Amino acid sequence: MSLYTPRHFESRDRADALRLIAAHPFATLVTTVGGEEPQISHLPLLLQGDALHGHMARANPHWQAFAHGRTVAIFHGPHAYVSPRWYESPAQHVPTWNYAVVHVAGHPQLVEGAAALDSLRALSAHFDPDFDADPQRVERLAAAIVAFRLPLERLDAKFKMNQNRTAADRAGVIAALAAQPAVADRAVAEWMRTHE
């Protein structure tokens, strides 16, 4: 496992990890080949069955590395700063950050022809079901992209939500985050309630 995950924060619930991917589909895709600098792209990936589906510009050299290295898709869920002031004994603690993250590792497979067009349409329909693109235009534009699927060969999830703190400390953090104006902070409070 390449994701440092202390026992307190490890999630073995595959369904939770898949829910995070579905709720936060914009991923950081990293492919490493030998000792070369990694290829990194940021793009939405759609979870369908046992694989992630996506595409990138054909001009992006990243896809050419797929055949020679391992790829990891990183999905960030809710995250927020945690102040030691929110614990029972603030002077005994330091600031930290609560977050949920999922890594999917595998070997991407290129998708071509009609399957590539189906993948493009599925991604578009998922995010904008009312949009109806001209099929001829989609086919012309498809020549400028590379579609791929990333099988879920390995899935690692880390939900760092103060599970290593006392119930009173966790309650204090949840209450403080729930009262914050930022939506992300309130989302972390909700995750803390459901991920002990």
Side-chain angles (χ1 to χ4, degrees), residues 3-170:
L3 176 61
Y4 170 65
T5 310
R7 182 180 50 82
H8 296 296
F9 310 134
E10 184 178 4
S11 173
R12 295 194 181 274
D13 188 339
R14 184 178 176 89
D16 268 353
L18 296 177
R19 277 192 291 275
L20 183 143
I21 291 170
H24 303 275
F26 192 71
T28 300
L29 197 68
V30 181
T31 302
T32 55
V33 179
E36 296 178 22
E37 189 166 333
Q39 293 289 322
I40 303 170
S41 296
H42 306 276
L43 61 165
L45 295 175
L46 184 60
L47 179 63
Q48 292 183 315
D50 63 349
L52 299 168
H53 293 259
H55 64 274
M56 62 179 62
R58 188 170 296 279
N60 182 346
H62 189 156
W63 68 271
Q64 296 171 350
F66 287 166
H68 307 290
R70 189 158 177 83
T71 296
V72 177
I74 303 167
F75 295 89
H76 293 273
H79 57 91
Y81 171 79
V82 175
S83 172
R85 295 180 293 110
W86 302 337
Y87 296 134
E88 275 191 313
S89 303
Q92 296 176 11
H93 299 285
V94 295
T96 191
W97 205 272
N98 279 2
Y99 60 92
V101 66
V102 172
H103 290 193
V104 174
H107 293 88
Q109 303 159 352
L110 300 185
V111 177
E112 299 175 349
L117 290 173
D118 289 345
S119 178
L120 291 173
R121 289 184 188 107
L123 192 67
S124 181
H126 178 77
F127 293 106
D128 194 356
D130 296 328
F131 177 70
D132 189 21
D134 172 31
Q136 291 178 337
R137 179 158 170 76
V138 171
E139 285 191 38
R140 282 195 309 274
L141 293 174
I145 63 98
V146 174
F148 64 92
R149 66 186 299 273
L150 177 64
L152 303 178
E153 293 174 16
R154 192 181 81 222
L155 192 145
D156 301 322
K158 180 177 183 179
F159 301 153
K160 182 183 176 294
M161 297 289 166
N162 283 121
Q163 298 95 320
N164 59 334
R165 301 287 178 220
T166 66
D169 281 348
R170 283 178 54 79

